[in-house]
Amino acid sequence: MIVWVNGASRAGKTTAARELIDLIPNSTFFDPEVIDGELERLLPPKRLAEVSDQQDLPIWRRLVVDTAAALLAELGGVLVVPMGLLRQEYRDEIFGGLAARRIPVCHVLLAPGETILRARDPGGEPPADIEPYRAALAGWLSADAYPIDNGALSPRETAVRIAAAVGAGDAPLCDIVQTPAPTAETVAAGVLLFDDQGRVLLVDPTYKPGWEFPGGVVEPGEAPARAGVREVAEETGIELVDTPGLLVVDWEPPVPPGYGGLRLLFDGGRLADAAAQQVLLPGPELRDWRFVSEDEAQVLLPPVRFARLHWALRARERGAAHYLEAGVPVG
């Protein structure tokens, strides 16, 4: 298990985490900042200069997951991780990667008042990450993490509060789907569902960054169209009666650490008004849904995923499926 101690700069994450390993049996301290130093030695200066925060580097996020998993495999027990994680898509990627390795995460937030954070600076200045922290706290972070106001607590007292909350289950494990990481090429089926304005339904997974179409990986021996229907029912509660028609086949090339594979999009048709307004989000897999226009989808979807949507919409208009490679039509 991992106890992830989140918060803004100067919230006292590291000092509390060091005290915490004395209170939780068989626990180990892991500060992801050690990865920052290694990347400074491994990556060319030009690449490092492209980002203002090393968390913005995909390799940093992968190494956090891989290093945490390796430490737990080697040592067992509990890993205590003090690290500010203020972007929701990075939380999804890292916690989702840990869940894929069957590693549960208990997410704790140290939340002293801003006056306390300012007082911990000689000049009374706010932390550099105060704006991202405010935005996260006003949105997803408050709902995702167990908050502890440690403004009047010492590091030891803070650690005692964390240990008590974890031990009593007051700080529960993150409710996130444990989707196994692929070990070979996969076939995935997505289904496009539309409202009466022609907008397409997108969903926001908890276990990976970015918005998606309802759908998922095709299981062995399962027909792709039926897999799409099954995933739609599991994710949204919508039961499709008819087998959806094919719109796009896209071959995703393997780009390490991913394996690539075939990505199919099917046409689930227009939902009745009542169904379109009563989408359910059962279980821990999804946190949100919305109907969007093509222009709005371009902002929410990663480029290759949006390319699939773009050509799927063109196929729907023309009544003929498209074959793509890496989101580009071929043939």
Side-chain angles (χ1 to χ4, degrees):
M1 183 181 85
I2 288 177
V3 177
W4 192 288
V5 184
N6 205 345
S9 299
R10 306 184 209 145
K13 302 181 295 294
T14 301
T15 52
R18 291 192 182 279
E19 295 282 354
L20 189 57
I21 60 173
D22 291 335
L23 302 174
I24 297 179
N26 193 22
S27 60
T28 303
F29 178 88
F30 166 48
D31 188 345
E33 285 194 359
V34 299
I35 294 173
D36 295 29
E38 292 304 314
L39 289 181
E40 289 175 2
R41 287 186 281 271
L42 292 170
L43 292 180
K46 179 180 178 181
R47 179 67 179 113
L48 291 169
E50 292 173 357
V51 299
S52 58
D53 186 334
Q54 290 202 12
Q55 288 193 15
D56 296 333
L57 294 168
I59 188 174
W60 184 92
R61 303 190 296 274
R62 288 198 296 269
L63 284 174
V64 169
V65 173
D66 291 344
T67 305
L71 282 169
L72 284 172
E74 182 75 19
L75 302 172
V78 176
L79 206 60
V80 177
V81 181
M83 173 54 57
L85 200 57
L86 304 179
R87 292 185 61 170
Q88 188 176 33
E89 61 266 35
Y90 294 171
R91 173 270 184 214
D92 293 350
E93 183 177 346
I94 292 172
F95 286 15
L98 293 167
R101 291 160 173 79
R102 300 295 189 263
I103 300 171
V105 178
C106 183
H107 190 191
V108 176
L109 172 67
L110 299 188
E114 284 192 27
T115 55
I116 301 295
L117 296 176
R118 286 176 178 270
R120 292 174 181 172
D121 179 80
E125 295 295 323
D129 59 0
I130 192 64
E131 291 301 332
Y133 172 70
R134 285 173 180 162
L137 194 62
W140 68 273
L141 186 55
S142 296
D144 196 76
Y146 179 82
I148 294 177
D149 182 352
N150 64 320
L153 303 179
S154 69
R156 185 70 177 189
E157 291 169 333
T158 302
V160 169
R161 288 278 298 275
I162 296 173
V166 172
D170 295 332
L173 299 177
C174 288
D175 192 16
I176 181 171
V177 66
Q178 294 187 332
T179 302
T183 57
E185 290 186 354
T186 56
V187 178
V191 180
L192 301 187
L193 301 166
F194 300 88
D195 66 4
D196 59 0
Q197 300 178 47
R199 298 177 302 176
V200 66
L201 177 66
L202 298 183
V203 295
D204 183 14
T206 61
Y207 58 92
K208 63 180 178 180
W211 289 71
E212 253 289 13
F213 319 108
V217 174
V218 179
E219 296 178 354
E222 187 178 29
R226 300 313 303 170
V229 171
R230 171 182 55 77
E231 289 283 351
V232 165
E234 291 176 0
E235 293 181 355
T236 69
I238 296 171
E239 300 282 352
L240 296 177
V241 177
D242 299 323
T243 301
L246 180 66
L247 293 173
V248 155
V249 176
D250 187 15
W251 177 71
E252 185 177 287
V255 178
Y259 290 90
L262 288 179
R263 309 292 179 249
L264 291 78
L265 281 182
F266 294 90
D267 185 358
R270 185 180 75 85
L271 296 175
D273 291 347
Q277 297 303 319
Q278 295 179 3
V279 176
L280 302 176
L281 294 176
E285 192 164 347
L286 305 174
R287 68 162 59 88
D288 200 3
W289 62 272
R290 67 178 68 167
F291 285 97
V292 298
S293 66
E294 186 173 356
D295 288 343
E296 291 169 331
Q298 188 170 14
V299 176
L300 295 175
L301 294 174
V304 70
R305 218 171 285 164
F306 174 73
R308 282 181 207 136
L309 173 64
H310 172 81
W311 290 109
L313 295 177
R314 303 294 83 76
R316 195 168 189 258
E317 292 168 355
R318 298 166 187 169
H322 283 291
Y323 169 68
L324 315 177
E325 292 182 358
V328 178
V330 175

